[in-house]
Amino acid sequence: MPSLRLEGGRYYTGRLAAAVTRSKKARTYYVEAHVVGDLENYVDSSRAEAIRKAQARGRYDGVAGMRLVTRVSRGPKPTVYWCDRQGVTGRIALTEATADERMTWYTEGPEGPEPLWLWLNEMGLPFQPHSWNNVFTAANRRCRSVLDPEPERRLDPHRSRAPYATPHSCRHSFALYMLVVLHHLMDQRFGLSPEERRDYRLLYGDPWRMVQDLLGHAFLETTRERFLAPVADLQLRSLLTTAPPFLEGGRPAQGMDEVFARLAREAEGIQDIDAKLQVTPRTTG
């Protein structure tokens, strides 16, 4: 996980090892500074509290397959050295360690073993990747109980005000956002002529291919047909020509709200959360 730097910075980069991605292809990810700060706050607060409670209750004493990490080498190919409870030692290249192997890694803290896995459950144990589906399911139920209290509204998806999200839909949202913003940057902010745009794409790649790389897809067709099918039949360029320009120092989201609102209105399968939560005031006479 990236760490905040004293000199600051708007975006931070991290590296996903091929062994932990679905495509088995390593790639770089980008995260805003405030998100890195939120993660560090989680590590120092909720996560630290879960570890203290687990240590006090002896939960780590019975963890099967625990491996205490003794050293991590530096350089272009870091290696993790570990020792298990029976004194057996081993090592593995960091890029080759799977998610299951990483969940067995612990470090010796002031009060005893502590997991190195970032996300922990309430018991202080590594949070299984597939468990995120349950987190989203519970959140969807809470949204529906609050925003769709009437039975008839729950039965009519067109009248529902409750958003519905899954881990995969977050990935779709990311892909759509990046595609629109990259098109905007290339066609408007840079003020490129057709010839300059062609040269730029030859040098840096088409926005579709940039999104493909960010998602880790092996084939461009996967990005186009599966992830961005809701906008495949839309003329993105015509949408972007009416988009408001970026303000100096402004964030892309501030200038692109109307573009995404139009996409949600014109393309099936895209949710506009702001529109869902907008309540029309009743008229009285």
Side-chain angles (χ1 to χ4, degrees):
M1 187 184 77
S3 299
L4 290 176
R5 301 186 297 268
L6 291 177
E7 64 270 20
R10 182 174 174 184
Y11 288 98
Y12 291 77
T13 61
R15 190 70 175 165
L16 283 176
V20 300
T21 65
R22 290 184 61 185
S23 62
K24 302 307 176 185
K25 180 181 178 182
R27 63 179 184 270
T28 300
Y29 66 88
Y30 303 84
V31 58
E32 284 192 298
H34 76 89
V35 176
V36 177
D38 291 341
L39 288 172
E40 291 187 350
N41 289 335
Y42 159 72
V43 170
D44 294 335
S45 57
S46 303
R47 184 179 185 278
E49 182 181 7
I51 290 175
R52 287 195 299 269
K53 290 181 178 179
Q55 289 173 334
R57 295 172 182 175
R59 288 203 178 105
Y60 299 142
D61 297 338
V63 172
M66 177 187 292
R67 293 175 174 178
L68 285 176
V69 174
T70 56
R71 183 168 69 93
V72 180
S73 68
R74 302 300 176 185
K77 295 183 179 180
T79 300
V80 177
Y81 295 81
W82 51 264
C83 178
D84 66 14
R85 292 185 183 277
Q86 286 71 43
V88 177
T89 60
R91 64 181 180 180
I92 186 173
L94 182 59
T95 57
E96 297 176 5
T98 65
D100 289 338
E101 289 175 305
R102 292 166 188 256
M103 283 189 284
T104 67
W105 291 350
Y106 284 70
T107 184
E108 193 64 51
E111 304 298 327
E114 299 179 4
L116 285 172
W117 192 257
L118 174 62
W119 300 107
L120 306 179
N121 59 27
E122 294 179 353
M123 299 178 64
L125 299 172
F127 195 83
Q128 300 280 344
H130 62 78
S131 297
W132 285 107
N133 291 316
N134 298 330
V135 172
F136 278 78
T137 299
N140 289 330
R141 288 173 180 168
R142 290 198 300 270
C143 289
R144 196 171 186 185
S145 64
V146 173
L147 298 174
D148 290 335
E150 303 91 346
E152 63 274 12
R153 189 181 294 277
R154 294 189 181 189
L155 296 176
D156 187 351
H158 300 288
R159 296 180 60 197
S160 173
R161 288 199 298 264
Y164 181 82
T166 66
H168 207 62
S169 67
C170 290
R171 199 161 145 81
H172 275 265
S173 298
F174 165 78
L176 175 62
Y177 176 86
M178 291 305 302
L179 178 68
V180 174
V181 169
L182 286 171
H183 268 288
H184 181 89
L185 289 172
M186 184 175 291
D187 292 344
Q188 288 195 357
R189 193 178 188 187
F190 294 163
L192 301 179
S193 66
E195 293 77 13
E196 292 170 333
R197 187 179 300 114
R198 180 199 60 198
D199 294 340
Y200 184 93
R201 287 176 173 171
L202 289 174
L203 182 61
Y204 295 105
D206 184 271
W208 286 94
R209 294 197 178 277
M210 295 180 187
V211 174
Q212 174 195 355
D213 291 339
L214 289 170
L215 292 173
H217 289 161
F219 302 102
L220 182 60
E221 289 73 16
T222 304
T223 308
R224 288 181 178 272
E225 297 176 6
R226 297 184 184 179
F227 267 70
L228 296 168
V231 297
D233 59 339
L234 296 179
Q235 295 296 323
L236 281 176
R237 194 172 304 280
S238 65
L239 286 169
L240 296 172
T241 54
T242 59
F246 282 115
L247 298 177
E248 186 66 28
R251 296 180 60 190
Q254 295 173 339
M256 302 297 288
D257 284 347
E258 179 56 27
V259 173
F260 290 112
R262 292 180 62 188
L263 285 174
R265 291 194 299 267
E266 299 177 24
E268 184 179 355
I270 299 178
Q271 300 179 81
D272 185 347
I273 302 301
D274 291 336
K276 277 184 168 290
L277 299 182
Q278 184 177 3
V279 179
T280 305
R282 294 181 179 180
T283 57
T284 57

